């Protein structure tokens, strides 16, 4: 039986400067997550698969992190987009709410998503749940599942 070809995409969620040293929401494991994201990104680029960067921009004027136009809101250099890679701006924890993500995935016939993001409980979880509910096959690569011995990220979905 022939296996049906399905298209895959990598979602890099909120790997932004405000999570790193001197950022407004410095995250203890930010460099570990960035390293995992970079290895995963390199693998997707090598295979010429779709890469989508999800960037959080705060619309709350009293918010501290992710203010539009600040260095902190920019995507971290190690995983910065290159020409041809999509950037989706979001304002909510769920990357599908009030964004063009679903339409982009449908237009490009994406069925499989690999997700690497900075905050498992805040942004990854709602996005993964929504993606599953929308019928996507999802591999979430979590920083807490890093195989210390082999130094490779582990799929957990």
């Amino acid at each position: 039986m022939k296996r049906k070809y399905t298209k895959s995409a990598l979602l890099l969620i909120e790997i932004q400067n405000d999570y790193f040293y001197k950022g407004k929401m410095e995250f203890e494991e930010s460099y570990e997550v960035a390293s995992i994201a970079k290895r995963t990104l390199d693998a997707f680029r090598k295979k010429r698969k779709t890469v989508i960067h999800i960037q959080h921009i705060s619309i709350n004027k009293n918010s501290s992190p992710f203010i539009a136009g600040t260095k902190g809101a920019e995507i971290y250099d190690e995983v910065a987009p290159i020409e041809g890679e999509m950037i989706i701006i979001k304002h909510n924890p769920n990357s599908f709410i009030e964004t063009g993500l679903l339409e982009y995935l449908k237009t490009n016939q994406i069925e499989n998503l690999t997700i690497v993001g900075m905050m498992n409980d805040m942004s990854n979880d709602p996005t993964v749940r929504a993606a599953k509910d929308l019928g996507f096959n999802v591999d979430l690569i979590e920083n807490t599942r890093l195989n210390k011995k082999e130094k490779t990220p582990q799929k957990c979905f």
Side-chain angles (χ1 to χ4, degrees):
M1 185 171 174
K2 257 188 166 179
R3 184 174 176 201
K4 180 185 169 197
Y5 174 76
T6 57
K7 289 183 77 176
S8 300
L10 171 63
L11 297 185
L12 296 171
I13 301 177
E14 287 184 15
I15 304 179
Q16 294 171 245
N17 291 329
D18 269 337
Y19 283 124
F20 294 87
Y21 179 67
K22 293 190 177 180
K24 293 185 178 177
M25 280 186 66
E26 191 174 334
F27 178 53
E28 184 178 326
E29 297 175 350
S30 60
Y31 294 97
E32 183 179 38
V33 174
S35 177
I36 292 167
K38 175 72 169 135
R39 286 190 301 256
T40 308
L41 176 60
D42 289 346
F44 268 73
R45 285 177 175 166
K46 185 176 181 178
K47 294 178 182 178
R48 297 183 178 180
K49 291 188 177 184
T50 302
V51 175
I52 304 165
H53 300 265
I54 308 293
Q55 183 180 21
H56 189 101
I57 299 296
S58 180
I59 54 175
N60 180 348
K61 292 179 182 178
N62 296 322
S63 179
S64 179
F66 312 127
I67 301 296
T70 65
K71 180 73 173 165
E74 293 175 10
I75 295 172
Y76 186 62
D77 282 342
E78 291 291 314
V79 296
I82 60 173
E83 188 176 335
E85 293 178 348
M86 177 61 117
I87 301 171
I88 301 280
I89 304 295
K90 72 180 186 86
H91 308 294
N92 296 289
N94 181 338
S95 299
F96 287 94
I97 294 178
E98 298 175 359
T99 70
L101 179 58
L102 180 59
E103 292 77 20
Y104 182 81
L105 296 172
K106 283 183 176 182
T107 299
N108 290 281
Q109 301 174 330
I110 304 295
E111 295 180 22
N112 303 304
L113 299 175
T114 298
I115 298 175
V116 181
M118 197 57 73
M119 300 294 283
N120 288 333
D121 56 343
M122 291 300 294
S123 296
N124 296 351
D125 182 65
T127 299
V128 168
R129 289 175 187 270
K132 294 290 280 180
D133 288 346
L134 291 166
F136 293 96
N137 301 311
V138 178
D139 285 326
L140 173 64
I141 300 178
E142 291 185 286
N143 57 314
T144 57
R145 299 281 300 221
L146 183 67
N147 182 327
K148 303 293 183 191
K149 186 176 181 183
E150 296 177 26
K151 300 285 187 201
T152 57
Q154 300 297 303
K155 294 179 181 179
C156 63
F157 231 82

PDB file of all heavy atoms in Angstrom, residues 64-76:
ATOM      1  N   SER A  64       4.784  44.671  29.728  1.00  0.00           N
ATOM      2  CA  SER A  64       6.225  44.883  29.772  1.00  0.00           C
ATOM      3  C   SER A  64       6.944  44.186  28.618  1.00  0.00           C
ATOM      4  O   SER A  64       7.722  44.808  27.920  1.00  0.00           O
ATOM      5  CB  SER A  64       6.770  44.401  31.115  1.00  0.00           C
ATOM      6  OG  SER A  64       8.148  44.566  31.168  1.00  0.00           O
ATOM      7  N   PRO A  65       6.702  42.888  28.385  1.00  0.00           N
ATOM      8  CA  PRO A  65       7.431  42.222  27.298  1.00  0.00           C
ATOM      9  C   PRO A  65       6.723  42.345  25.944  1.00  0.00           C
ATOM     10  O   PRO A  65       5.540  42.657  25.873  1.00  0.00           O
ATOM     11  CB  PRO A  65       7.454  40.755  27.739  1.00  0.00           C
ATOM     12  CG  PRO A  65       6.198  40.596  28.519  1.00  0.00           C
ATOM     13  CD  PRO A  65       5.967  41.930  29.193  1.00  0.00           C
ATOM     14  N   PHE A  66       7.489  42.111  24.903  1.00  0.00           N
ATOM     15  CA  PHE A  66       6.991  41.976  23.526  1.00  0.00           C
ATOM     16  C   PHE A  66       6.303  43.227  22.984  1.00  0.00           C
ATOM     17  O   PHE A  66       5.339  43.144  22.230  1.00  0.00           O
ATOM     18  CB  PHE A  66       6.061  40.766  23.394  1.00  0.00           C
ATOM     19  CG  PHE A  66       6.605  39.515  23.998  1.00  0.00           C
ATOM     20  CD1 PHE A  66       5.863  38.789  24.910  1.00  0.00           C
ATOM     21  CD2 PHE A  66       7.864  39.056  23.669  1.00  0.00           C
ATOM     22  CE1 PHE A  66       6.366  37.628  25.476  1.00  0.00           C
ATOM     23  CE2 PHE A  66       8.381  37.897  24.230  1.00  0.00           C
ATOM     24  CZ  PHE A  66       7.625  37.183  25.136  1.00  0.00           C
ATOM     25  N   ILE A  67       6.812  44.383  23.358  1.00  0.00           N
ATOM     26  CA  ILE A  67       6.264  45.643  22.858  1.00  0.00           C
ATOM     27  C   ILE A  67       6.776  45.850  21.432  1.00  0.00           C
ATOM     28  O   ILE A  67       7.976  45.769  21.172  1.00  0.00           O
ATOM     29  CB  ILE A  67       6.693  46.834  23.743  1.00  0.00           C
ATOM     30  CG1 ILE A  67       6.222  46.628  25.193  1.00  0.00           C
ATOM     31  CG2 ILE A  67       6.180  48.159  23.179  1.00  0.00           C
ATOM     32  CD1 ILE A  67       4.728  46.584  25.378  1.00  0.00           C
ATOM     33  N   ALA A  68       5.857  46.119  20.523  1.00  0.00           N
ATOM     34  CA  ALA A  68       6.217  46.325  19.112  1.00  0.00           C
ATOM     35  C   ALA A  68       7.313  47.379  18.990  1.00  0.00           C
ATOM     36  O   ALA A  68       7.293  48.395  19.673  1.00  0.00           O
ATOM     37  CB  ALA A  68       4.983  46.760  18.319  1.00  0.00           C
ATOM     38  N   GLY A  69       8.286  47.087  18.135  1.00  0.00           N
ATOM     39  CA  GLY A  69       9.355  48.018  17.873  1.00  0.00           C
ATOM     40  C   GLY A  69      10.522  47.952  18.840  1.00  0.00           C
ATOM     41  O   GLY A  69      11.507  48.673  18.680  1.00  0.00           O
ATOM     42  N   THR A  70      10.424  47.091  19.877  1.00  0.00           N
ATOM     43  CA  THR A  70      11.529  46.970  20.828  1.00  0.00           C
ATOM     44  C   THR A  70      12.417  45.785  20.459  1.00  0.00           C
ATOM     45  O   THR A  70      11.980  44.842  19.785  1.00  0.00           O
ATOM     46  CB  THR A  70      11.015  46.766  22.272  1.00  0.00           C
ATOM     47  OG1 THR A  70      10.333  45.506  22.358  1.00  0.00           O
ATOM     48  CG2 THR A  70      10.080  47.899  22.694  1.00  0.00           C
ATOM     49  N   LYS A  71      13.655  45.839  20.925  1.00  0.00           N
ATOM     50  CA  LYS A  71      14.604  44.733  20.712  1.00  0.00           C
ATOM     51  C   LYS A  71      14.058  43.447  21.350  1.00  0.00           C
ATOM     52  O   LYS A  71      14.218  42.361  20.808  1.00  0.00           O
ATOM     53  CB  LYS A  71      15.969  45.099  21.310  1.00  0.00           C
ATOM     54  CG  LYS A  71      17.030  44.050  21.147  1.00  0.00           C
ATOM     55  CD  LYS A  71      17.529  43.976  19.730  1.00  0.00           C
ATOM     56  CE  LYS A  71      18.715  43.018  19.647  1.00  0.00           C
ATOM     57  NZ  LYS A  71      19.022  42.621  18.292  1.00  0.00           N
ATOM     58  N   GLY A  72      13.401  43.574  22.487  1.00  0.00           N
ATOM     59  CA  GLY A  72      12.861  42.411  23.192  1.00  0.00           C
ATOM     60  C   GLY A  72      11.803  41.661  22.407  1.00  0.00           C
ATOM     61  O   GLY A  72      11.663  40.441  22.545  1.00  0.00           O
ATOM     62  N   ALA A  73      11.068  42.347  21.577  1.00  0.00           N
ATOM     63  CA  ALA A  73      10.007  41.703  20.799  1.00  0.00           C
ATOM     64  C   ALA A  73      10.544  40.991  19.565  1.00  0.00           C
ATOM     65  O   ALA A  73       9.855  40.158  18.975  1.00  0.00           O
ATOM     66  CB  ALA A  73       8.957  42.729  20.385  1.00  0.00           C
ATOM     67  N   GLU A  74      11.774  41.297  19.191  1.00  0.00           N
ATOM     68  CA  GLU A  74      12.360  40.684  17.997  1.00  0.00           C
ATOM     69  C   GLU A  74      12.649  39.200  18.210  1.00  0.00           C
ATOM     70  O   GLU A  74      12.920  38.762  19.322  1.00  0.00           O
ATOM     71  CB  GLU A  74      13.669  41.399  17.623  1.00  0.00           C
ATOM     72  CG  GLU A  74      13.472  42.811  17.155  1.00  0.00           C
ATOM     73  CD  GLU A  74      14.788  43.532  16.916  1.00  0.00           C
ATOM     74  OE1 GLU A  74      15.867  42.886  16.924  1.00  0.00           O
ATOM     75  OE2 GLU A  74      14.739  44.755  16.726  1.00  0.00           O
ATOM     76  N   ILE A  75      12.618  38.452  17.119  1.00  0.00           N
ATOM     77  CA  ILE A  75      12.940  37.024  17.164  1.00  0.00           C
ATOM     78  C   ILE A  75      14.436  36.885  17.420  1.00  0.00           C
ATOM     79  O   ILE A  75      15.256  37.601  16.841  1.00  0.00           O
ATOM     80  CB  ILE A  75      12.518  36.331  15.858  1.00  0.00           C
ATOM     81  CG1 ILE A  75      10.985  36.390  15.726  1.00  0.00           C
ATOM     82  CG2 ILE A  75      13.014  34.890  15.809  1.00  0.00           C
ATOM     83  CD1 ILE A  75      10.434  35.919  14.405  1.00  0.00           C
ATOM     84  N   TYR A  76      14.784  35.962  18.304  1.00  0.00           N
ATOM     85  CA  TYR A  76      16.162  35.706  18.709  1.00  0.00           C
ATOM     86  C   TYR A  76      17.019  35.378  17.485  1.00  0.00           C
ATOM     87  O   TYR A  76      16.619  34.600  16.625  1.00  0.00           O
ATOM     88  CB  TYR A  76      16.157  34.546  19.711  1.00  0.00           C
ATOM     89  CG  TYR A  76      17.472  34.224  20.341  1.00  0.00           C
ATOM     90  CD1 TYR A  76      18.155  35.155  21.131  1.00  0.00           C
ATOM     91  CD2 TYR A  76      18.040  32.971  20.176  1.00  0.00           C
ATOM     92  CE1 TYR A  76      19.354  34.846  21.728  1.00  0.00           C
ATOM     93  CE2 TYR A  76      19.250  32.649  20.777  1.00  0.00           C
ATOM     94  CZ  TYR A  76      19.902  33.597  21.550  1.00  0.00           C
ATOM     95  OH  TYR A  76      21.093  33.274  22.142  1.00  0.00           O
TER      96      TYR A  76
END
